Amino acid sequence: MPSSSNSKKIIMGIVVGFLVVFLLWYFFIDTLTLSELIGKNVNPKASIFINLFDFDTGLTRYDIYNLKSKSVYWEKRMQEVASITNPKRREIGHEKLMAEMMEDPSMKKIVKKVFGFGTDSVLTVLRAVNAF
């Protein structure tokens, strides 16, 4: 017959195991919707828009952490490209920026989701990530 000490160790091991699995799922697997990403503290007009176009961003909390650490850089790069006055050079700069963004797995998820809405949409999502 097993001792109560061994039973407690087994139960604690199971609880710790479930906790570890839950935390791994929560940070690395569970994806956030746009409304979860932006949060509740937006003006009423924006919340209507968000609810209409709410979608699964494909971003995990780990992706948010990564994007947060790089968002200032991406914003700066987008502004640099936007400030180019020569249309041909601006287009080349935009293509280079998109290629650079697509190398980052977290950024790639954002670009794929909002690509049709333009660079301003990516910039808006990056600002929302910073607020998260």
Side-chain angles (χ1 to χ4, degrees):
M1 181 172 211
S3 68
S4 69
S5 167
N6 285 339
S7 296
K8 288 180 183 179
K9 287 180 182 179
I10 291 172
I11 291 171
M12 285 303 293
I14 291 171
V15 169
V16 168
F18 278 125
L19 183 62
V20 167
V21 168
F22 172 76
L23 290 174
L24 287 172
W25 171 81
Y26 185 77
F27 287 106
F28 298 105
I29 298 171
D30 184 35
T31 57
L32 302 168
T33 61
L34 182 63
S35 59
E36 289 174 317
L37 190 65
I38 293 175
K40 304 283 185 227
N41 56 352
V42 294
N43 68 37
K45 290 179 183 177
S47 66
I48 291 170
F49 177 76
I50 291 166
N51 289 332
L52 285 174
F53 296 102
D54 199 13
F55 58 89
D56 183 5
T57 60
L59 298 171
T60 64
R61 285 163 183 83
Y62 181 73
D63 291 325
I64 299 299
Y65 170 78
N66 282 337
L67 288 171
K68 214 177 216 187
S69 66
K70 299 174 186 173
S71 65
V72 173
Y73 170 76
W74 291 121
E75 285 183 42
K76 181 181 169 194
R77 288 281 290 124
M78 283 186 235
Q79 290 170 354
E80 286 174 1
V81 170
S83 69
I84 298 172
T85 55
N86 183 323
K88 199 170 220 173
R89 283 188 171 169
R90 185 175 42 239
E91 183 62 32
I92 291 169
H94 182 71
E95 289 173 9
K96 287 180 181 179
L97 177 60
M98 284 295 131
E100 186 179 340
M101 286 178 157
M102 295 306 264
E103 290 176 7
D104 183 312
S106 299
M107 183 55 80
K108 187 175 185 176
K109 290 178 185 179
I110 289 180
V111 171
K112 281 185 174 182
K113 290 287 184 175
V114 297
F115 188 68
F117 300 111
T119 312
D120 291 336
S121 301
V122 176
L123 193 58
T124 302
V125 172
L126 283 174
R127 289 183 181 140
V129 164
N130 262 342
F132 184 71

